[in-house]
Amino acid sequence: MNAPTIAHINCADCPIRHRAVCARCEADELEALDTIKYYRTYEAGQPIIWSGDVMNFVGSVVSGIATLTQTMEDGRTQMVGLLLPSDFVGRPGRDGAAYNVVATTDLVMCCFRKKPFEDLMAKTPHIAHRLLEMTLDELDAAREWMLVLGRKTAREKIASLLSIIARRDASLTPDGAVQSMTFDLPLTREAMADYLGLTLETVSRQVSALKKDGVISLEGKRRVTVPDMGRLMEEAGDDSDGGFLL
Amino acid sequence: MNAPTIAHINCADCPIRHRAVCARCEADELEALDTIKYYRTYEAGQPIIWSGDVMNFVGSVVSGIATLTQTMEDGRTQMVGLLLPSDFVGRPGRDGAAYNVVATTDLVMCCFRKKPFEDLMAKTPHIAHRLLEMTLDELDAAREWMLVLGRKTAREKIASLLSIIARRDASLTPDGAVQSMTFDLPLTREAMADYLGLTLETVSRQVSALKKDGVISLEGKRRVTVPDMGRLMEEAGDDSDGGFLL
DNA sequence: AACGAACTTTGACCTAGATCAAACGGGACT
DNA sequence: AGTCCCGTTTGATCTAGGTCAAAGTTCGTT
């Protein structure tokens, strides 16, 4: 049989180009994975897990978008993660979910029952290594977001969010360095506000301001085009090391 | 020979009670670790790594406290992690440091040159698993902190920080459930501000307010006693599920 | 004991973003 | 075509926390 050229820890055959590729995985490991995985779909708006629930599976997003949120008793909520295709959900070695996971668009997940996955992980070190790598990436992302939440102005926050979404979007259809780009905002103003620690009114105002200043332009409420990614990243307060490489 | 009863991924013999224990590690793995580790000390205020530097070691804190910070070009800084004894530093599989790491007190680190550590990790799956577990814990902590930064008021932020420090402190000398406790603040008001996304003046004011309201009392500027941990956690806005278990 | 430097507190004022409120799409129903 | 609903925009006002400034502590040094 053919050895696969692209091998992800979760799916050998998911219909997306996975962001992360594990070239080390062997064909028989993938086959082992194939025998225990299953797909599951969710509708837009449908909750996937509530914080505190037992979570008897792990998995990753195949298509669609989900959010990870934390909520205080009085209703204040903070989004702590945005799950785009190829992102991993769940925590091997722990039963309770720590966050609410909600599908914000129609969503397909590729799942594994937790126990078999953990068994497989114990047997195949590459999977654990890959998972460690992904978790470290997520940790970096979370820490980058702490800077956004703690120290950036509302305008910088919006620009940071747009820049992150654009970057993730671009990585799915890469063209090397990109100067301008267009994409769909997968989030309502309220969801953006929850991600950024702002109110939806402030989000709306700042989006309007960025539009007025020509940093972005809108087609409808959701379709955004960024004429100059470098400019956007300046607005985000990131050290723009010139080009926008992937 | 005696199998060790407490085995941490980094040190078999570090003079601290490690927060996290890996009972699965075998004696020979520990011996292998012993042969490649070394200790290093830093003075209070001394930088350990600058963001962007090549980092040719990984390690963990044995004693003392270090901070992980990110800085924008204009000087705004956000602390993204507080390294207490037993915390791990560094990223197997990546060369560049992503943050500034600074010793805030005199510090002892237990280090491994990165390459040998990675080799060892490849050979001993338990180490990778343990590291994954620790990284997932850190990710949870980072996400909890996102809620603090994004949605909590200044007073809640201070209470959250005190509660976290108290919790970590207590876990080093555990007594089961704790009602009241006393500890030293390891951070200046400025460092607290950088952690919380506030200014040092606001930190000072809110600490004074918590003191005036009897939530805490101070002995000097740094020694804090919390008469009622439950009260403190209420102030922090955490769902205080009654007792303060560890 | 006096001096300095670093850290902390407190006060007065200001502003970015929150809050409250009203109006404005735009698409999915009848 | 009308209307209902949900998301969005925009305006007017308020306030938590930032900014600027000046004292007060603590502690190590001469």
Side-chain angles (χ1 to χ4, degrees), chain A residues 152-154 197-199 201-202 205-206:
Chain A
K152 292 196 177 177
T153 64
L198 299 170
T199 60
E201 293 94 329
T202 298
R205 276 185 247 272
Q206 296 297 336

Side-chain angles (χ1 to χ4, degrees), chain B residues 157-213:
Chain B
K157 285 179 174 183
I158 300 286
S160 297
L161 178 57
L162 292 177
S163 146
I164 281 182
I165 292 174
R167 202 153 30 195
R168 281 296 304 267
D169 231 52
S171 76
L172 297 175
T173 55
D175 300 307
V178 178
Q179 238 272 324
S180 96
M181 63 178 300
T182 299
F183 57 93
D184 278 312
L185 264 183
L187 301 174
T188 65
R189 298 287 122 103
E190 188 179 24
M192 291 172 69
D194 283 343
Y195 206 0
L196 296 165
L198 298 170
T199 60
L200 66 92
E201 293 95 329
T202 299
V203 170
S204 180
R205 275 185 247 272
Q206 296 298 336
V207 169
S208 300
L210 287 176
K211 183 173 135 193
K212 184 165 65 65
D213 299 345

Side-chain angles (χ1 to χ4, degrees), chain A residues 7 12 30 46 52 78 83 87 99 103 116 122 173 179 204 220 222 226:
Chain A
L30 290 169
Q46 197 181 349
Q78 174 66 49
L83 298 173
D87 282 336
Y99 321 103
T173 56
Q179 237 271 325
S204 180
R222 294 295 190 83
V226 181

